[in-house]
Amino acid sequence: MEARTKRTAIAAAAVVAIAVAGGALFMTRSSGAGRVDDPAVTTSVDPGVDTAPAAETSALARALENKLILAEDYLQEGEFQRALDLIDEVLIEDVRNETARALRQSVLAAQREERERLAESERQTGSDAQLAEAQARAREAEARREEAQLAIQRELAQQRAADEERRLAEQRRQEEERRAELDRLSAEQRQRTEEATRLLDSANSLLEQGDFLRLRRDMERVLDIALDNKRTEDQLHSRALSLLARSYMEEDSSNPRNRQEAIRLANQALQRSSDAWEAQFTLGQVYYETERFQDSVNAYSAAARINPENARLLYELARAQYRVGDFTAARSSYEGAVRIDPYFPNAYHNLGVTNLQLRDANRAVSAFRYAVEVQPRDHASWFRLGSTLLTIGDVDGARSALQRAVTISPEDARYHSRLASASFRRGDLAAAEESFLRASRLEPNSAVHRYNLAVIRNERGRNREALPEIERALSIDSSQPEYHFTLGRIREGLGNIDGAIDAHMTALSRNPRYTRSMIEMGRLMDQQGSHDQALQVLLGAYRLEPQGFEVNTNLGQVYLNLGLFDRSVTHFQEASRLRPEEAEAHYNLALAHLGAEQFDQAERALNDVVRIDSRFWVAYHRLGEIHVAREDIETARVVLTTLLEVNPQYGERSAVETILSSF
């Protein structure tokens, strides 16, 4: 009766301790305490058998001795369970048999070593398999990238050949038309027409050289040439006026007088010939420069209807369409430009940016891949490619592309910062810190870079180095609540809990709806014992984010500490629903059920814990306590004994031994 009372007292004390001593594990501070890489404990047990003194007869002694000899044979053969069964039979007959006890310890030790060996082999096999699978995925991804690159190269070569064929065909057509026209003219008229044509044909070269004075003299000469054929004269004079207008925009498009002169000449060109696409093109330029983007779209569109095979015209039209927000039309125009000339500068890059505006990340990636194939040192396109790959989850591809951007343009802080983000997503915290540090050195007055560096150092547990970085970020920009949040995390890491709470309060003064700081502040207040204050703060966060994992976890913890177990169960249930494969969530729920003395529900939650994580040792401890509370002593004995045998370094070993000693 006394032993039973003692066990009941121990079980009751355990339940109370579990319920009110802060046993729940907060998500952002969860740890592997109580868990090591050892084999899992099993709760499947054989029913216990009461022991009784054995009759000391010589026949019985021989039988017991034979069983022990057979058990030793089984031990040598690795048949541990059969050996233990025989030893148990001996101990049932003679519980004080020291030989049997010693042999049992030897078998258990050998069994434990074998389990550890098998577990290590299984882990190694799993690790090797995971590594092989990861390497295979990497090879497959690289093969896909190489295949895509080859496809791009083939397509670009085909486009270039087709473009050259179109250009030559157009050149032949124009030459044939010119000769046919000349054949119809008299010798004098033919000479004048050829002179005008020669001057017009040399104009583009003069524009490229920037020889605007000579170009204008030549075009004035064209305008002085009179022809009997009014239609031919209008076409030649219209072309000359268009080139004159263009010369003023090429010379200095920011000069208001140049823009006015360009408009005057372009309109004169259109009066002479409505087919003067170059005049419409120049008007489009003027309107774009003066931010009359819709007028620019109209002018460029009119030019494109006359000359739909000009890559630069379609490119400029796309830019204007982008500025008015017509991204679908802009994409179509950019696609037309690269179809005509796949090597047109920035066309593929801008096509990728336009696809991003249309939320079409896959087509954006494709465009950026073409951009870097066309211009391999286009660091802006490498950067965009890496950023887009990071967005769609291709972290390795993103790191590769961003590294290219950094290599080509190492002085751009944005590139280092984005590469750091990719490294962080990959779990390479050292590389992430190095890249954030480089970004910070390039732009020392950037609050964002200082903040990012502080975050990564906090993640790495280097809070003393993180503190000056977040303080510098706040000195540059104190308006961002996440900066104060990070200061709170760092101060907490340094043991300054009051300072951490102050930082989170400041974050809330910047944004009263910033739930991350509400949750952290509530958690810290709860840990300090200010449960009522913590509850009010967390209820405020819950009203804003009722389905948040963190807020439900911390509310469950506060209610647990206040002894309001039913409410604790409600919030821990929601947390485990939100993250059904997180062992800590189910463990927290088990603690709440234990507080409410709902042992069946607690057992189910603990079984979920060990299903998810078989090395969550404290869950076996709690299961043992549940069996004690139910007075299922033999099951409790097996669970707790096995826990200590499989994990001799269990952190709460003394508590388990106290329970076992009470049996």
Side-chain angles (χ1 to χ4, degrees):
M1 180 65 182
E2 182 180 349
R4 177 174 177 178
T5 301
K6 179 179 179 183
R7 287 195 299 270
T8 302
I10 291 173
V15 169
V16 172
I18 295 163
V20 301
L25 304 176
F26 177 48
M27 188 279 294
T28 60
R29 292 291 185 272
S30 64
S31 68
R35 289 178 289 163
V36 294
D37 291 334
D38 287 331
V41 177
T42 176
T43 56
S44 61
V45 296
D46 295 326
V49 181
D50 291 338
T51 59
E56 296 183 1
T57 63
S58 58
L60 179 58
R62 283 195 300 274
L64 296 181
E65 184 179 355
N66 290 338
K67 287 182 179 181
L68 291 177
I69 292 171
L70 185 56
E72 287 182 354
D73 291 341
Y74 284 141
L75 171 60
Q76 297 302 319
E77 295 170 3
E79 297 283 349
F80 304 119
Q81 191 55 55
R82 297 183 71 176
L84 288 172
D85 290 343
L86 288 172
I87 295 170
D88 286 344
E89 291 178 12
V90 172
L91 290 173
I92 289 171
E93 298 295 335
D94 182 7
V95 74
R96 296 180 178 82
N97 191 316
E98 295 299 329
T99 302
R101 286 180 173 273
L103 183 57
R104 184 174 186 274
Q105 291 301 316
S106 298
V107 173
L108 288 172
Q111 186 182 49
R112 182 166 59 250
E113 289 176 3
E114 178 67 11
R115 284 177 177 172
E116 291 173 354
R117 185 188 66 77
L118 291 173
E120 180 59 33
S121 176
E122 182 179 338
R123 284 195 298 272
Q124 186 61 44
T125 301
S127 176
D128 291 345
Q130 290 174 356
L131 178 61
E133 183 180 353
Q135 291 174 338
R137 285 198 304 269
R139 287 194 297 272
E140 183 180 348
E142 183 61 29
R144 285 197 301 270
R145 282 194 286 270
E146 290 179 358
E147 183 180 349
Q149 185 176 12
L150 289 172
I152 289 170
Q153 290 172 347
R154 287 193 296 269
E155 185 173 340
L156 289 173
Q158 292 169 357
Q159 284 182 312
R160 173 170 282 182
D163 184 44
E164 181 64 13
E165 185 177 343
R166 283 194 304 270
R167 187 187 67 79
L168 291 173
E170 178 63 18
Q171 187 177 9
R172 288 192 297 270
R173 185 190 66 78
Q174 291 178 358
E175 181 62 20
E176 289 170 0
E177 286 183 355
R178 187 179 70 83
R179 288 187 178 279
E181 182 67 24
L182 288 174
D183 289 341
R184 290 192 295 270
L185 300 176
S186 65
E188 181 184 357
Q189 291 292 306
R190 183 184 301 117
Q191 184 179 3
R192 290 181 181 182
T193 302
E194 287 180 340
E195 174 66 8
T197 302
R198 182 185 65 79
L199 292 170
L200 290 169
D201 287 345
S202 65
N204 282 326
S205 177
L206 295 174
L207 280 173
E208 291 174 2
Q209 296 169 23
D211 194 347
F212 303 114
L213 290 177
R214 183 180 170 187
L215 179 140
R216 289 166 190 162
R217 284 198 305 268
D218 288 351
M219 294 307 100
E220 290 296 338
R221 288 173 60 188
V222 173
L223 293 173
D224 288 339
I225 295 174
L227 297 175
D228 293 342
N229 188 319
K230 183 63 175 174
R231 177 176 174 274
T232 301
E233 181 185 286
D234 283 343
Q235 287 179 338
L236 294 174
H237 287 188
S238 178
R239 177 91 196 282
L241 288 165
S242 296
L243 288 165
L244 280 170
R246 185 175 167 190
S247 74
Y248 284 99
M249 289 301 292
E250 296 287 342
E251 182 181 43
D252 184 1
S253 62
S254 65
N255 187 314
R257 295 183 64 180
N258 279 27
R259 291 198 294 260
Q260 287 300 320
E261 189 65 11
I263 291 173
R264 183 184 69 82
L265 291 165
N267 284 327
Q268 286 183 7
L270 289 168
Q271 288 171 3
R272 299 298 294 268
S273 174
S274 60
D275 290 339
W277 73 268
E278 287 175 297
Q280 295 283 15
F281 179 87
T282 298
L283 288 174
Q285 284 183 297
V286 173
Y287 295 143
Y288 190 93
E289 289 292 330
T290 54
E291 299 187 2
R292 293 168 58 182
F293 298 117
Q294 188 56 58
D295 288 336
S296 180
V297 168
N298 295 340
Y300 282 136
S301 296
R305 284 192 291 271
I306 301 166
N307 184 9
E309 294 299 314
N310 186 284
R312 184 183 178 189
L313 171 54
L314 292 177
Y315 175 83
E316 296 296 345
L317 171 59
R319 292 178 66 216
Q321 290 166 330
Y322 186 96
R323 293 299 296 268
V324 299
D326 191 350
F327 302 121
T328 301
R331 174 163 67 185
S332 178
S333 297
Y334 279 129
E335 288 175 341
V338 298
R339 174 185 56 79
I340 297 167
D341 181 3
Y343 290 86
F344 194 91
N346 295 324
Y348 271 119
H349 176 91
N350 288 2
L351 175 58
V353 173
T354 305
N355 279 319
L356 290 178
Q357 288 288 351
L358 292 168
R359 302 184 184 279
D360 193 338
N362 290 328
R363 287 175 74 170
V365 166
S366 177
F368 291 132
R369 288 197 190 282
Y370 276 101
V372 297
E373 185 62 35
V374 170
Q375 296 174 286
R377 294 192 61 78
D378 180 4
H379 52 82
S381 290
W382 281 114
F383 172 71
R384 285 284 194 171
L385 174 60
S387 299
T388 310
L389 288 171
L390 188 62
T391 300
I392 63 177
D394 184 356
V395 178
D396 290 333
R399 290 182 79 187
S400 177
L402 292 166
Q403 186 59 61
R404 289 291 296 273
V406 165
T407 301
I408 297 167
S409 182
E411 300 304 310
D412 195 316
R414 295 174 307 151
Y415 298 175
H416 291 284
S417 181
R418 191 59 57 85
L419 176 59
S421 297
S423 296
F424 183 82
R425 287 271 297 275
R426 191 69 179 82
D428 191 346
L429 300 185
E433 181 178 354
E434 179 62 27
S435 293
F436 278 138
L437 183 60
R438 289 178 179 174
S440 182
R441 286 171 178 168
L442 288 167
E443 293 181 351
N445 293 321
S446 167
V448 173
H449 298 328
R450 298 285 184 176
Y451 162 73
N452 285 334
L453 190 55
V455 169
I456 203 71
R457 286 178 173 171
N458 172 247
E459 287 287 337
R460 300 187 73 189
R462 292 162 53 192
N463 290 301
R464 293 195 182 281
E465 296 173 71
L467 183 60
E469 298 298 336
I470 195 61
E471 288 176 340
R472 176 62 175 148
L474 285 165
S475 72
I476 298 169
D477 181 4
S478 64
S479 66
Q480 304 300 319
E482 56 265 31
Y483 292 6
H484 296 280
F485 171 86
T486 300
L487 175 61
R489 294 286 299 269
I490 292 168
R491 283 178 174 173
E492 180 186 356
L494 293 171
N496 182 3
I497 304 303
D498 290 339
I501 292 175
D502 287 343
H504 291 303
M505 291 180 68
T506 305
L508 290 172
S509 73
R510 301 297 188 267
N511 179 4
R513 300 176 66 84
Y514 191 64
T515 56
R516 294 179 71 197
S517 278
M518 288 186 192
I519 294 167
E520 286 289 276
M521 190 162 66
R523 178 180 62 81
L524 292 170
M525 288 177 171
D526 185 53
Q527 289 179 354
Q528 287 192 317
S530 301
H531 306 310
D532 291 332
Q533 287 180 281
L535 180 60
Q536 294 307 310
V537 172
L538 289 168
L539 285 173
Y542 180 75
R543 283 190 289 271
L544 295 170
E545 199 175 304
Q547 293 190 335
F549 174 80
E550 291 84 359
V551 68
N552 277 287
T553 296
N554 284 282
L555 268 175
Q557 177 66 72
V558 172
Y559 282 128
L560 190 69
N561 290 334
L562 289 170
L564 300 173
F565 301 118
D566 289 342
R567 294 185 183 182
S568 180
V569 165
T570 297
H571 289 287
F572 282 143
Q573 279 179 333
E574 178 64 9
S576 62
R577 183 190 68 80
L578 291 167
R579 295 191 185 175
E581 294 304 313
E582 186 154 324
E584 286 86 350
H586 294 281
Y587 181 71
N588 292 339
L589 177 59
L591 296 182
H593 283 307
L594 283 172
E597 297 188 16
Q598 297 167 344
F599 298 127
D600 290 344
Q601 295 93 322
E603 183 179 13
R604 283 196 294 271
L606 290 169
N607 284 333
D608 285 333
V609 173
V610 298
R611 172 185 57 80
I612 297 166
D613 184 355
S614 61
R615 295 183 177 84
F616 202 117
W617 305 118
V618 70
Y620 298 105
H621 186 167
R622 300 287 90 88
L623 281 168
E625 290 172 335
I626 288 173
H627 293 308
V628 172
R630 289 171 169 164
E631 298 189 9
D632 185 354
I633 302 307
E634 290 306 319
T635 302
R637 186 200 312 277
V638 172
V639 170
L640 296 174
T641 300
T642 308
L643 167 60
L644 297 185
E645 289 172 348
V646 175
N647 183 15
Q649 305 303 317
Y650 176 55
E652 297 184 46
R653 183 183 182 93
S654 61
V656 175
E657 289 174 338
T658 299
I659 296 174
L660 288 170
S661 67
S662 70
F663 294 160

